[in-house]
Amino acid sequence: MLKKLKSLLGGGEKKARASAQGLPATLTKEQEQHILQSGTQGQRQALAERHDARPEVLYYLAEDASAEVRKAIAQNPSTPIQAAEKLISDDDEGVRAELARKIGRLVPGLAPGEQTALREKAIKVLETLAEDQLPKVRAIIADEIKTSDQVPKDLIDRLARDVEAIVCGPILQYSPLLNDDDLREIIAAGISIGALKAIASRANISVDVSADIAATLDVPAIASLLANTNAQIREDTLDQIIDHAKTVEELHAPLALRPQLSIRAMKRIAGFVASALVHAMMDQAELPEEQAEDLLERVRERLSSERVGDDEESELAARALEYFQKGMLDDAFVHDQIEANRRELLLQCLAVMADLPVTTVRQIIHSKSGRAVTALAWKAGLSMRTAYELQTKYALVPAAQLLSAKDGKNYPIDDNELDWHLSYFVEQA
Protein backbone atom coordinates (compact mmCIF):
# COMPACT_ATOMS: atom_id res chain seq x y z
CA MET A 1 0.00 0.00 0.00
CA LEU A 2 2.87 2.35 0.79
CA LYS A 3 4.17 1.89 -2.76
CA LYS A 4 0.75 2.80 -4.21
CA LEU A 5 0.48 5.91 -2.05
CA LYS A 6 3.87 7.12 -3.20
CA SER A 7 2.92 6.53 -6.82
CA LEU A 8 -0.39 8.35 -6.48
CA LEU A 9 1.02 11.30 -4.61
CA GLY A 10 4.26 11.70 -6.53
CA GLY A 11 6.37 10.49 -3.63
CA GLY A 12 9.76 9.11 -4.49
CA GLU A 13 12.12 7.96 -1.79
CA LYS A 14 13.60 11.13 -0.31
CA LYS A 15 15.24 12.07 2.92
CA ALA A 16 14.86 15.82 2.66
CA ARG A 17 16.67 17.91 5.28
CA ALA A 18 18.30 14.79 6.75
CA SER A 19 21.80 15.83 5.76
CA ALA A 20 21.26 19.42 6.90
CA GLN A 21 20.07 18.25 10.30
CA GLY A 22 22.77 15.63 10.68
CA LEU A 23 20.43 12.64 10.53
CA PRO A 24 21.94 9.39 9.29
CA ALA A 25 20.71 7.74 6.09
CA THR A 26 19.09 4.98 8.13
CA LEU A 27 17.59 5.56 11.55
CA THR A 28 17.27 3.00 14.33
CA LYS A 29 14.29 2.92 16.67
CA GLU A 30 16.49 4.34 19.40
CA GLN A 31 17.56 7.26 17.21
CA GLU A 32 13.96 8.01 16.27
CA GLN A 33 12.98 7.91 19.93
CA HIS A 34 15.78 10.28 20.84
CA ILE A 35 14.64 12.79 18.20
CA LEU A 36 11.04 12.58 19.43
CA GLN A 37 12.09 13.21 23.02
CA SER A 38 14.90 15.75 22.74
CA GLY A 39 15.51 16.59 19.08
CA THR A 40 15.39 20.12 17.70
CA GLN A 41 12.45 21.32 15.64
CA GLY A 42 14.57 20.97 12.51
CA GLN A 43 15.39 17.36 13.35
CA ARG A 44 11.74 16.54 14.07
CA GLN A 45 10.72 18.15 10.79
CA ALA A 46 13.37 16.19 8.91
CA LEU A 47 12.08 13.03 10.56
CA ALA A 48 8.48 13.96 9.68
CA GLU A 49 9.47 14.26 6.01
CA ARG A 50 11.09 10.84 5.79
CA HIS A 51 9.21 8.13 3.92
CA ASP A 52 11.04 5.40 5.83
CA ALA A 53 9.94 6.60 9.25
CA ARG A 54 7.84 4.11 11.19
CA PRO A 55 4.05 4.74 11.09
CA GLU A 56 3.88 5.13 14.89
CA VAL A 57 6.56 7.83 14.72
CA LEU A 58 4.64 9.79 12.10
CA TYR A 59 1.46 9.32 14.10
CA TYR A 60 3.17 10.76 17.18
CA LEU A 61 4.51 13.76 15.22
CA ALA A 62 0.99 14.61 14.05
CA GLU A 63 0.58 16.27 17.46
CA ASP A 64 3.91 18.11 17.43
CA ALA A 65 3.86 21.67 18.75
CA SER A 66 5.40 22.97 15.52
CA ALA A 67 3.01 23.68 12.64
CA GLU A 68 5.88 23.08 10.20
CA VAL A 69 6.37 19.58 11.57
CA ARG A 70 2.64 18.85 11.35
CA LYS A 71 2.59 20.22 7.81
CA ALA A 72 5.37 17.80 6.90
CA ILE A 73 3.29 14.97 8.38
CA ALA A 74 0.28 16.09 6.34
CA GLN A 75 2.39 16.02 3.14
CA ASN A 76 4.19 12.74 3.78
CA PRO A 77 2.66 9.89 1.71
CA SER A 78 3.85 7.41 4.35
CA THR A 79 1.73 9.03 7.06
CA PRO A 80 -0.91 6.52 8.27
CA ILE A 81 -4.54 7.44 7.76
CA GLN A 82 -5.01 7.52 11.55
CA ALA A 83 -2.59 10.45 11.73
CA ALA A 84 -4.45 12.20 8.94
CA GLU A 85 -7.63 11.91 11.01
CA LYS A 86 -5.91 13.84 13.78
CA LEU A 87 -4.92 16.66 11.41
CA ILE A 88 -8.42 17.27 10.03
CA SER A 89 -9.15 19.88 12.67
CA ASP A 90 -5.62 21.27 13.00
CA ASP A 91 -5.56 24.93 14.06
CA ASP A 92 -3.09 25.79 11.31
CA GLU A 93 -4.77 26.33 7.95
CA GLY A 94 -1.56 25.44 6.13
CA VAL A 95 -1.60 21.98 7.70
CA ARG A 96 -5.22 21.40 6.67
CA ALA A 97 -4.49 22.70 3.16
CA GLU A 98 -1.60 20.28 2.67
CA LEU A 99 -3.68 17.42 4.04
CA ALA A 100 -6.51 18.33 1.67
CA ARG A 101 -4.13 18.28 -1.28
CA LYS A 102 -2.75 14.85 -0.35
CA ILE A 103 -6.08 13.20 0.44
CA GLY A 104 -7.69 14.83 -2.60
CA ARG A 105 -5.11 13.11 -4.80
CA LEU A 106 -5.26 9.82 -2.90
CA VAL A 107 -8.99 9.02 -2.88
CA PRO A 108 -9.64 9.10 -6.67
CA GLY A 109 -6.88 6.54 -7.10
CA LEU A 110 -8.35 4.12 -4.59
CA ALA A 111 -10.79 2.03 -6.60
CA PRO A 112 -13.88 0.67 -4.79
CA GLY A 113 -13.09 -2.64 -3.11
CA GLU A 114 -9.40 -1.86 -2.79
CA GLN A 115 -8.55 -2.12 0.93
CA THR A 116 -12.07 -1.05 1.85
CA ALA A 117 -11.21 0.07 5.37
CA LEU A 118 -8.49 2.43 4.16
CA ARG A 119 -10.71 3.84 1.42
CA GLU A 120 -13.59 4.46 3.80
CA LYS A 121 -11.36 6.27 6.26
CA ALA A 122 -9.75 8.34 3.50
CA ILE A 123 -13.18 9.31 2.16
CA LYS A 124 -14.29 10.34 5.65
CA VAL A 125 -11.23 12.59 5.94
CA LEU A 126 -11.97 14.00 2.49
CA GLU A 127 -15.60 14.73 3.33
CA THR A 128 -14.65 16.45 6.56
CA LEU A 129 -12.10 18.66 4.79
CA ALA A 130 -14.73 19.46 2.15
CA GLU A 131 -16.70 21.15 4.94
CA ASP A 132 -13.73 23.13 6.24
CA GLN A 133 -14.57 26.69 7.21
CA LEU A 134 -11.73 27.99 5.05
CA PRO A 135 -12.67 28.27 1.33
CA LYS A 136 -9.03 27.66 0.39
CA VAL A 137 -9.13 24.15 1.89
CA ARG A 138 -12.44 23.31 0.22
CA ALA A 139 -11.11 24.68 -3.07
CA ILE A 140 -8.08 22.39 -2.92
CA ILE A 141 -10.35 19.38 -2.47
CA ALA A 142 -12.57 20.50 -5.35
CA ASP A 143 -9.64 21.00 -7.68
CA GLU A 144 -8.11 17.61 -6.89
CA ILE A 145 -11.29 15.58 -7.43
CA LYS A 146 -12.97 17.64 -10.17
CA THR A 147 -12.45 15.07 -12.95
CA SER A 148 -12.81 11.89 -10.91
CA ASP A 149 -15.72 9.47 -11.14
CA GLN A 150 -14.36 7.45 -8.19
CA VAL A 151 -15.51 9.80 -5.42
CA PRO A 152 -18.88 9.84 -3.63
CA LYS A 153 -21.63 11.57 -5.59
CA ASP A 154 -22.98 13.33 -2.51
CA LEU A 155 -19.57 14.92 -1.97
CA ILE A 156 -19.62 16.26 -5.53
CA ASP A 157 -23.18 17.56 -5.03
CA ARG A 158 -22.14 19.38 -1.87
CA LEU A 159 -19.10 21.02 -3.46
CA ALA A 160 -21.08 21.93 -6.58
CA ARG A 161 -23.45 23.97 -4.40
CA ASP A 162 -20.74 25.70 -2.38
CA VAL A 163 -21.29 29.45 -2.13
CA GLU A 164 -17.67 30.18 -3.10
CA ALA A 165 -16.95 30.20 -6.84
CA ILE A 166 -13.39 28.95 -6.28
CA VAL A 167 -14.88 25.84 -4.69
CA CYS A 168 -17.90 25.05 -6.87
CA GLY A 169 -16.36 26.29 -10.13
CA PRO A 170 -13.99 23.37 -10.84
CA ILE A 171 -16.67 20.83 -9.94
CA LEU A 172 -19.33 22.50 -12.08
CA GLN A 173 -17.01 22.75 -15.06
CA TYR A 174 -15.37 19.33 -15.00
CA SER A 175 -17.13 16.74 -12.83
CA PRO A 176 -18.40 13.77 -14.87
CA LEU A 177 -20.75 12.88 -12.00
CA LEU A 178 -23.04 15.85 -12.60
CA ASN A 179 -25.89 15.14 -15.02
CA ASP A 180 -28.29 17.51 -16.74
CA ASP A 181 -30.81 17.32 -13.93
CA ASP A 182 -28.13 18.30 -11.41
CA LEU A 183 -26.95 21.23 -13.50
CA ARG A 184 -30.44 22.53 -14.23
CA GLU A 185 -31.38 22.31 -10.56
CA ILE A 186 -28.26 24.23 -9.58
CA ILE A 187 -28.96 26.93 -12.18
CA ALA A 188 -32.58 27.22 -11.06
CA ALA A 189 -31.52 27.66 -7.45
CA GLY A 190 -29.43 30.69 -8.38
CA ILE A 191 -25.64 30.70 -8.39
CA SER A 192 -22.83 33.22 -8.66
CA ILE A 193 -21.59 34.62 -11.96
CA GLY A 194 -18.36 32.63 -11.82
CA ALA A 195 -20.23 29.40 -11.10
CA LEU A 196 -22.65 29.88 -14.01
CA LYS A 197 -19.75 30.61 -16.33
CA ALA A 198 -18.13 27.36 -15.18
CA ILE A 199 -21.22 25.38 -16.24
CA ALA A 200 -21.22 27.17 -19.59
CA SER A 201 -17.63 26.01 -20.13
CA ARG A 202 -18.28 22.27 -19.63
CA ALA A 203 -16.98 19.89 -22.28
CA ASN A 204 -20.52 18.98 -23.35
CA ILE A 205 -23.70 20.98 -22.77
CA SER A 206 -27.19 19.83 -23.75
CA VAL A 207 -29.80 22.04 -25.38
CA ASP A 208 -31.80 22.20 -22.15
CA VAL A 209 -28.87 23.34 -20.04
CA SER A 210 -27.96 25.90 -22.72
CA ALA A 211 -31.51 27.24 -22.66
CA ASP A 212 -31.38 27.59 -18.87
CA ILE A 213 -28.09 29.49 -19.05
CA ALA A 214 -29.44 31.81 -21.73
CA ALA A 215 -32.55 32.50 -19.66
CA THR A 216 -30.44 33.92 -16.82
CA LEU A 217 -29.31 36.81 -19.09
CA ASP A 218 -25.90 36.52 -17.42
CA VAL A 219 -23.52 38.09 -19.94
CA PRO A 220 -20.20 36.34 -19.01
CA ALA A 221 -21.94 32.96 -18.87
CA ILE A 222 -23.72 33.47 -22.21
CA ALA A 223 -20.46 34.63 -23.80
CA SER A 224 -18.76 31.45 -22.57
CA LEU A 225 -21.67 29.37 -23.83
CA LEU A 226 -21.42 30.88 -27.31
CA ALA A 227 -17.66 30.34 -27.36
CA ASN A 228 -18.08 26.69 -26.34
CA THR A 229 -18.10 24.73 -29.59
CA ASN A 230 -19.43 21.66 -27.76
CA ALA A 231 -22.48 23.47 -26.41
CA GLN A 232 -25.69 22.49 -28.19
CA ILE A 233 -27.95 25.53 -28.69
CA ARG A 234 -31.45 25.34 -30.16
CA GLU A 235 -32.48 27.90 -32.77
CA ASP A 236 -35.10 29.44 -30.47
CA THR A 237 -32.51 29.78 -27.69
CA LEU A 238 -30.12 31.46 -30.12
CA ASP A 239 -32.93 33.83 -31.13
CA GLN A 240 -33.36 34.82 -27.48
CA ILE A 241 -29.62 35.42 -27.16
CA ILE A 242 -29.62 37.54 -30.34
CA ASP A 243 -32.47 39.66 -28.97
CA HIS A 244 -30.54 40.16 -25.74
CA ALA A 245 -27.26 40.88 -27.55
CA LYS A 246 -28.62 43.84 -29.52
CA THR A 247 -27.98 46.12 -26.56
CA VAL A 248 -25.08 44.19 -25.00
CA GLU A 249 -21.84 44.82 -26.87
CA GLU A 250 -19.93 42.21 -24.84
CA LEU A 251 -21.96 39.52 -26.63
CA HIS A 252 -21.36 40.78 -30.16
CA ALA A 253 -18.04 39.05 -30.80
CA PRO A 254 -18.86 35.64 -29.27
CA LEU A 255 -22.21 35.68 -31.07
CA ALA A 256 -20.83 36.62 -34.48
CA LEU A 257 -18.02 34.08 -34.16
CA ARG A 258 -20.28 31.24 -33.05
CA PRO A 259 -19.59 28.31 -35.44
CA GLN A 260 -22.24 26.92 -37.76
CA LEU A 261 -24.68 29.82 -37.59
CA SER A 262 -27.65 29.60 -39.94
CA ILE A 263 -27.89 32.24 -42.65
CA ARG A 264 -31.06 33.48 -40.92
CA ALA A 265 -29.17 34.00 -37.66
CA MET A 266 -26.29 35.67 -39.49
CA LYS A 267 -28.64 38.17 -41.11
CA ARG A 268 -30.09 39.08 -37.73
CA ILE A 269 -26.64 39.44 -36.17
CA ALA A 270 -25.43 41.56 -39.08
CA GLY A 271 -28.20 43.98 -38.18
CA PHE A 272 -26.35 45.35 -35.17
CA VAL A 273 -22.71 44.17 -34.84
CA ALA A 274 -19.66 46.03 -36.13
CA SER A 275 -18.78 45.64 -39.81
CA ALA A 276 -15.46 44.03 -38.86
CA LEU A 277 -17.37 41.33 -36.99
CA VAL A 278 -19.69 40.79 -39.93
CA HIS A 279 -16.67 40.20 -42.12
CA ALA A 280 -15.18 37.76 -39.58
CA MET A 281 -18.53 35.96 -39.36
CA MET A 282 -18.66 35.61 -43.13
CA ASP A 283 -15.08 34.38 -43.35
CA GLN A 284 -15.77 31.71 -40.76
CA ALA A 285 -18.97 30.56 -42.46
CA GLU A 286 -17.39 30.52 -45.94
CA LEU A 287 -20.66 31.71 -47.50
CA PRO A 288 -21.31 31.40 -51.23
CA GLU A 289 -20.70 34.69 -53.04
CA GLU A 290 -24.38 35.44 -53.58
CA GLN A 291 -25.30 34.95 -49.93
CA ALA A 292 -22.26 36.91 -48.81
CA GLU A 293 -23.14 39.87 -51.00
CA ASP A 294 -26.75 39.82 -49.79
CA LEU A 295 -25.48 39.96 -46.21
CA LEU A 296 -23.05 42.78 -46.99
CA GLU A 297 -25.76 44.80 -48.71
CA ARG A 298 -27.92 44.61 -45.61
CA VAL A 299 -25.02 45.88 -43.52
CA ARG A 300 -24.26 48.71 -45.97
CA GLU A 301 -27.88 49.85 -45.82
CA ARG A 302 -27.78 49.85 -42.04
CA LEU A 303 -24.49 51.73 -41.90
CA SER A 304 -25.61 54.36 -44.41
CA SER A 305 -28.57 55.15 -42.16
CA GLU A 306 -26.43 55.52 -39.06
CA ARG A 307 -25.17 59.02 -39.86
CA VAL A 308 -24.26 61.32 -37.00
CA GLY A 309 -25.73 64.79 -36.55
CA ASP A 310 -24.05 67.98 -37.74
CA ASP A 311 -22.78 68.92 -34.29
CA GLU A 312 -21.25 65.53 -33.67
CA GLU A 313 -19.74 65.47 -37.16
CA SER A 314 -18.06 68.82 -36.49
CA GLU A 315 -16.70 67.55 -33.20
CA LEU A 316 -15.30 64.41 -34.87
CA ALA A 317 -13.74 66.51 -37.64
CA ALA A 318 -11.99 68.69 -35.06
CA ARG A 319 -10.76 65.61 -33.23
CA ALA A 320 -9.42 64.09 -36.45
CA LEU A 321 -7.49 67.28 -37.23
CA GLU A 322 -6.06 67.29 -33.72
CA TYR A 323 -4.92 63.68 -34.07
CA PHE A 324 -3.33 64.51 -37.43
CA GLN A 325 -1.42 67.48 -36.01
CA LYS A 326 -0.14 65.30 -33.17
CA GLY A 327 1.11 62.67 -35.62
CA MET A 328 -1.23 59.99 -34.32
CA LEU A 329 -2.81 58.95 -37.62
CA ASP A 330 -1.07 55.85 -38.94
CA ASP A 331 -1.76 52.21 -39.84
CA ALA A 332 -2.08 51.13 -36.22
CA PHE A 333 -4.54 53.93 -35.49
CA VAL A 334 -6.71 52.95 -38.46
CA HIS A 335 -6.65 49.29 -37.42
CA ASP A 336 -7.77 50.22 -33.89
CA GLN A 337 -10.67 52.35 -35.16
CA ILE A 338 -11.87 49.53 -37.41
CA GLU A 339 -11.78 47.01 -34.58
CA ALA A 340 -13.52 49.44 -32.21
CA ASN A 341 -16.18 50.23 -34.86
CA ARG A 342 -15.53 54.00 -34.72
CA ARG A 343 -16.71 54.44 -38.28
CA GLU A 344 -17.49 58.14 -38.35
CA LEU A 345 -14.29 59.14 -36.57
CA LEU A 346 -12.27 57.01 -38.99
CA LEU A 347 -14.06 58.62 -41.93
CA GLN A 348 -13.01 62.08 -40.72
CA CYS A 349 -9.46 60.86 -40.11
CA LEU A 350 -9.17 59.39 -43.61
CA ALA A 351 -10.36 62.69 -45.04
CA VAL A 352 -7.64 64.59 -43.18
CA MET A 353 -4.95 62.04 -44.04
CA ALA A 354 -5.84 61.97 -47.76
CA ASP A 355 -6.58 65.72 -47.88
CA LEU A 356 -9.98 65.06 -49.42
CA PRO A 357 -13.49 66.33 -48.59
CA VAL A 358 -15.43 64.09 -46.21
CA THR A 359 -18.21 63.74 -48.79
CA THR A 360 -15.70 62.33 -51.29
CA VAL A 361 -14.31 59.86 -48.76
CA ARG A 362 -17.83 58.77 -47.90
CA GLN A 363 -18.62 58.14 -51.56
CA ILE A 364 -15.49 56.05 -51.94
CA ILE A 365 -16.31 53.95 -48.88
CA HIS A 366 -19.84 53.32 -50.20
CA SER A 367 -18.71 52.62 -53.76
CA LYS A 368 -18.14 48.86 -53.35
CA SER A 369 -14.97 49.38 -55.37
CA GLY A 370 -11.87 47.70 -54.02
CA ARG A 371 -9.67 49.79 -56.32
CA ALA A 372 -11.20 53.06 -55.12
CA VAL A 373 -10.83 52.18 -51.45
CA THR A 374 -7.25 51.04 -52.10
CA ALA A 375 -6.53 54.35 -53.82
CA LEU A 376 -7.92 56.21 -50.81
CA ALA A 377 -5.62 54.25 -48.49
CA TRP A 378 -2.66 55.02 -50.79
CA LYS A 379 -3.50 58.75 -50.79
CA ALA A 380 -3.72 58.63 -46.98
CA GLY A 381 -0.21 57.18 -46.76
CA LEU A 382 -1.30 53.81 -45.45
CA SER A 383 0.17 50.37 -46.18
CA MET A 384 -1.43 47.94 -48.60
CA ARG A 385 -2.22 45.62 -45.70
CA THR A 386 -4.27 48.41 -44.12
CA ALA A 387 -5.85 49.10 -47.50
CA TYR A 388 -7.04 45.49 -47.63
CA GLU A 389 -8.44 45.76 -44.11
CA LEU A 390 -10.30 48.91 -45.10
CA GLN A 391 -11.78 47.06 -48.09
CA THR A 392 -12.94 44.02 -46.16
CA LYS A 393 -13.84 45.18 -42.66
CA TYR A 394 -14.74 48.84 -43.18
CA ALA A 395 -16.01 49.39 -46.70
CA LEU A 396 -17.41 45.84 -47.02
CA VAL A 397 -16.26 45.50 -50.61
CA PRO A 398 -17.72 42.41 -52.37
CA ALA A 399 -15.32 39.50 -52.64
CA ALA A 400 -15.21 39.76 -56.45
CA GLN A 401 -14.09 43.41 -56.23
CA LEU A 402 -11.36 43.03 -53.61
CA LEU A 403 -7.85 44.14 -54.54
CA SER A 404 -5.18 42.01 -52.87
CA ALA A 405 -1.59 42.94 -52.07
CA LYS A 406 1.29 42.13 -54.38
CA ASP A 407 3.85 39.83 -52.73
CA GLY A 408 1.77 40.00 -49.57
CA LYS A 409 2.52 43.64 -48.76
CA ASN A 410 2.87 45.91 -51.84
CA TYR A 411 0.29 47.91 -53.76
CA PRO A 412 -0.63 45.84 -56.84
CA ILE A 413 -1.16 48.81 -59.19
CA ASP A 414 1.05 51.83 -59.86
CA ASP A 415 0.63 55.38 -58.59
CA ASN A 416 -0.83 56.68 -61.85
CA GLU A 417 -3.66 54.16 -61.82
CA LEU A 418 -4.32 54.75 -58.15
CA ASP A 419 -4.52 58.48 -58.77
CA TRP A 420 -6.86 57.86 -61.71
CA HIS A 421 -9.30 55.88 -59.52
CA LEU A 422 -9.35 58.76 -57.03
CA SER A 423 -9.85 61.42 -59.70
CA TYR A 424 -13.25 59.99 -60.67
CA PHE A 425 -14.63 60.68 -57.19
CA VAL A 426 -12.88 64.01 -56.82
CA GLU A 427 -14.47 65.21 -60.07
CA GLN A 428 -17.88 64.10 -58.83
CA ALA A 429 -17.57 66.17 -55.64
Side-chain angles (χ1 to χ4, degrees):
M1 191 60 202
L2 173 58
K3 183 178 181 181
K4 181 170 183 66
L5 289 178
K6 290 178 179 178
S7 173
L8 288 170
L9 303 175
E13 188 63 38
K14 70 175 184 177
K15 297 182 176 62
R17 300 169 55 91
S19 176
Q21 297 300 329
L23 301 185
T26 302
L27 288 172
T28 65
K29 291 183 180 181
E30 291 74 17
Q31 289 170 324
E32 288 180 335
Q33 194 65 28
H34 174 74
I35 293 172
L36 294 179
Q37 292 178 351
S38 56
T40 65
Q41 177 185 319
Q43 289 174 327
R44 298 196 311 276
Q45 185 172 343
L47 179 58
E49 292 173 348
R50 290 180 68 131
H51 299 173
D52 62 343
R54 288 179 295 134
E56 54 267 34
V57 171
L58 298 176
Y59 181 82
Y60 181 85
L61 288 172
E63 293 183 332
D64 194 274
S66 167
E68 291 303 315
V69 173
R70 302 196 305 276
K71 190 182 297 183
I73 292 297
Q75 294 172 323
N76 194 332
S78 297
T79 296
I81 194 65
Q82 293 82 358
E85 291 173 327
K86 297 174 74 171
L87 297 173
I88 292 174
S89 56
D90 196 283
D91 291 336
D92 189 278
E93 65 182 52
V95 173
R96 303 198 309 277
E98 290 303 328
L99 181 63
R101 186 170 288 108
K102 183 177 73 172
I103 297 297
R105 292 174 183 173
L106 170 63
V107 170
L110 295 175
E114 181 179 350
Q115 295 206 15
T116 304
L118 172 62
R119 187 173 191 276
E120 288 178 354
K121 287 185 177 182
I123 287 176
K124 185 176 180 181
V125 170
L126 188 70
E127 291 177 332
T128 302
L129 290 168
E131 295 179 344
D132 195 279
Q133 63 180 356
L134 193 69
K136 173 185 174 182
V137 174
R138 305 198 304 275
I140 290 172
I141 292 292
D143 192 60
E144 293 295 342
I145 69 172
K146 63 187 178 185
T147 61
S148 175
D149 59 0
Q150 297 295 324
V151 293
K153 176 64 161 56
D154 59 347
L155 175 59
I156 292 295
D157 289 339
R158 188 185 319 146
L159 290 171
R161 289 166 173 77
D162 197 285
V163 296
E164 299 288 344
I166 60 170
V167 180
C168 65
I171 299 296
L172 292 172
Q173 183 171 352
Y174 296 105
S175 180
L177 297 180
L178 295 175
N179 58 36
D180 277 8
D181 290 339
D182 296 323
L183 296 172
R184 299 190 69 188
E185 182 182 330
I186 290 169
I187 294 171
I191 54 178
S192 67
I193 292 176
L196 193 59
K197 185 177 179 181
I199 295 177
S201 302
R202 286 179 68 87
N204 292 289
I205 304 178
S206 70
V207 292
D208 290 332
V209 173
S210 291
D212 289 349
I213 294 173
T216 67
L217 302 183
D218 184 273
V219 174
I222 294 174
S224 293
L225 181 70
L226 291 168
N228 188 343
T229 56
N230 292 322
Q232 302 174 50
I233 304 178
R234 282 192 296 257
E235 194 72 18
D236 60 335
T237 300
L238 189 63
D239 280 341
Q240 294 172 15
I241 294 175
I242 292 173
D243 289 338
H244 180 44
K246 289 179 181 178
T247 56
V248 183
E249 190 172 350
E250 295 94 323
L251 292 177
H252 289 190
L255 184 56
L257 299 178
R258 172 76 184 170
Q260 298 180 328
L261 290 170
S262 67
I263 186 63
R264 173 179 168 277
M266 292 175 68
K267 287 179 178 179
R268 293 195 63 202
I269 294 167
F272 57 87
V273 303
S275 55
L277 283 176
V278 174
H279 186 268
M281 179 171 64
M282 290 170 48
D283 273 355
Q284 179 173 266
E286 298 182 348
L287 292 178
E289 186 175 335
E290 184 177 341
Q291 287 185 332
E293 178 54 27
D294 181 46
L295 194 63
L296 288 177
E297 188 58 36
R298 288 170 178 263
V299 180
R300 292 190 200 102
E301 291 174 1
R302 169 173 67 89
L303 295 176
S304 64
S305 67
E306 293 178 353
R307 293 283 300 275
V308 298
D310 291 341
D311 290 343
E312 186 177 353
E313 186 171 4
S314 297
E315 190 275 329
L316 291 174
R319 196 190 310 176
L321 182 60
E322 178 187 355
Y323 290 161
F324 178 74
Q325 292 170 341
K326 290 181 177 179
M328 296 170 58
L329 303 185
D330 55 15
D331 289 274
F333 180 90
V334 172
H335 170 79
D336 290 344
Q337 305 318 300
I338 292 174
E339 293 301 314
N341 199 35
R342 300 189 187 101
R343 296 187 60 84
E344 287 297 321
L345 174 60
L346 180 53
L347 193 78
Q348 297 291 339
C349 290
L350 289 171
V352 173
M353 296 168 75
D355 193 22
L356 292 171
V358 172
T359 53
T360 300
V361 174
R362 196 182 298 278
Q363 287 178 340
I364 293 172
I365 295 301
H366 292 164
S367 69
K368 303 183 189 179
S369 169
R371 291 176 179 268
V373 175
T374 299
L376 172 64
W378 165 76
K379 188 72 163 57
L382 297 169
S383 71
M384 182 57 204
R385 290 180 178 176
T386 302
Y388 190 79
E389 191 171 12
L390 282 170
Q391 292 179 75
T392 55
K393 297 182 179 180
Y394 185 63
L396 301 177
V397 173
Q401 301 297 322
L402 290 174
L403 193 63
S404 299
K406 179 181 179 182
D407 300 325
K409 59 180 181 179
N410 300 320
Y411 278 86
I413 52 180
D414 62 30
D415 293 0
N416 290 332
E417 185 174 352
L418 288 166
D419 192 52
W420 182 84
H421 283 292
L422 274 180
S423 65
Y424 170 81
F425 292 92
V426 172
E427 292 170 3
Q428 297 297 316

